[in-house]
Amino acid sequence: MTEISAFDDVLSVRVEEGIAHLTLTRPGKQNALNDLVIDALDRFFSKPGEDVRVAVLSGAGNHFSAGLDLGEHVERSAAETMHHSRNWHRVMDLIQFGGLPVVSALHGGVIGGGLELAAATHVRVAEPSAFFQLPEGRRGIFVGGGASVRIGRILGPDRLTEMMLTGRKYTADEALSLGLAHYRVGEGEALAKAEEMARRIAGNAQLSNHLIIQSLARIDDMSRTDGLFTESLAAALSVSSEDAREGLTAFLEKRSPRFR
């Protein structure tokens, strides 16, 4: 069964066989992110639906997302800017830690806020046309959607500093080697690969997916001792579930598991 909906004409959602296909639909604006887009992402990821097991995120037109919509930039005070940035952080956290695995298909510009959005997803597939950039320094501004943490964790602070100071663009091949992308495919193939990965992830036990998403990034923030203890808690939760019993039985019976 397929369900199709639209969020304020900036995000389309199609749900089919447990996979939500989300598309940024501002191709005339290179899918630049504004408050309407952030609000639409917020509304979807706050309540994706009980039948949704995985989401695939892509962009219509020639670019995934060119970043913050500077054409709609509103002059804000320091306090207003901080609140605006913190709302972006909340929505990006909802994408990363909401419990729903998200696979992104990347092509064209993955710039500024678009890269911050991609970095909040769990599996990233890039086409040769994809390029990755944080040009805020050249605009007289600073990142505000989580790049200093998420992209800093991927690249390290030294590479991130150089990237932001120079406005450097990373190609798809460079992004793959650095971890900004997990897969590099041929032109026009990112969405198909992302959907393939989504189907594979949807076949996992939902509790395992949830624990992977909720635990690993947080363990990275912890001391070694606390991280190992948290790992034990996650292991205990998973191994005592019905899905664990099904997974082990299926392995012994040499068949594919039938998770709930």
Side-chain angles (χ1 to χ4, degrees):
M1 181 179 178
T2 301
E3 299 177 12
I4 300 175
S5 58
F7 290 80
D8 300 321
D9 296 323
V10 297
L11 181 72
S12 72
V13 179
R14 173 173 58 88
V15 179
E16 188 171 11
E17 296 181 351
I19 298 175
H21 303 261
L22 280 66
T23 307
L24 301 172
T25 52
R26 304 186 76 212
K29 292 283 190 176
Q30 300 181 341
N31 294 319
L33 305 179
N34 60 10
D35 289 345
L36 275 178
V37 178
I38 296 302
D39 181 61
L41 291 167
D42 184 10
R43 281 183 283 155
F44 173 80
F45 283 101
S46 292
K47 197 173 182 179
E50 294 181 1
D51 295 335
V52 176
R53 298 175 72 96
V54 185
V56 173
L57 178 63
S58 62
N62 296 324
H63 300 276
F64 174 72
S65 174
L68 180 66
D69 191 339
L70 297 176
E72 296 183 18
H73 177 67
V74 176
E75 192 167 322
R76 297 183 176 92
S77 68
E80 290 169 336
T81 299
M82 183 173 181
H83 287 300
H84 188 258
S85 172
R86 293 298 290 155
N87 185 59
W88 275 54
H89 292 165
R90 181 185 62 80
V91 175
M92 298 303 173
D93 279 351
L94 184 60
I95 294 169
Q96 182 178 2
F97 295 113
L100 185 69
V102 186
V103 185
S104 53
L106 308 174
H107 72 291
V110 188
I111 305 170
L115 180 50
E116 290 174 315
L117 174 59
T121 68
H122 306 102
V123 179
R124 296 179 291 278
V125 182
E127 295 183 2
S129 65
F131 61 93
F132 303 73
Q133 187 181 29
L134 293 172
E136 282 80 358
R138 299 167 69 93
R139 307 283 188 266
I141 56 178
F142 194 79
V143 294
S148 61
V149 174
R150 286 191 179 85
I151 301 169
R153 292 285 176 83
I154 295 169
L155 298 178
D158 181 69
R159 279 191 180 277
L160 180 60
T161 299
E162 186 274 338
M163 185 182 187
M164 290 180 64
L165 284 174
T166 65
R168 177 178 186 157
K169 294 179 183 179
Y170 282 118
T171 66
D173 287 333
E174 290 170 327
L176 180 65
S177 68
L178 293 169
L180 291 171
H182 300 111
Y183 297 89
R184 194 277 206 189
V185 296
E187 199 62 40
E189 298 176 357
L191 188 55
K193 182 67 173 180
E195 291 171 346
E196 175 193 336
M197 293 296 99
R199 288 190 293 272
R200 179 180 298 183
I201 295 167
N204 296 342
Q206 289 193 74
L207 178 59
S208 292
N209 283 345
H210 188 79
L211 289 170
I212 289 167
I213 289 169
Q214 295 289 349
S215 302
L216 294 179
R218 289 187 169 94
I219 286 172
D220 189 51
D221 283 334
M222 298 177 183
S223 68
R224 180 178 182 276
T225 301
D226 290 343
L228 291 173
F229 180 72
T230 301
E231 177 184 279
S232 294
L233 289 176
L237 284 171
S238 66
V239 79
S240 59
S241 68
E242 290 183 18
D243 283 338
R245 286 189 287 274
E246 166 60 15
L248 293 172
T249 299
F251 175 77
L252 293 172
E253 295 177 354
K254 298 181 180 180
R255 60 173 175 80
S256 298
R258 296 183 289 271
F259 296 125
R260 294 174 298 165

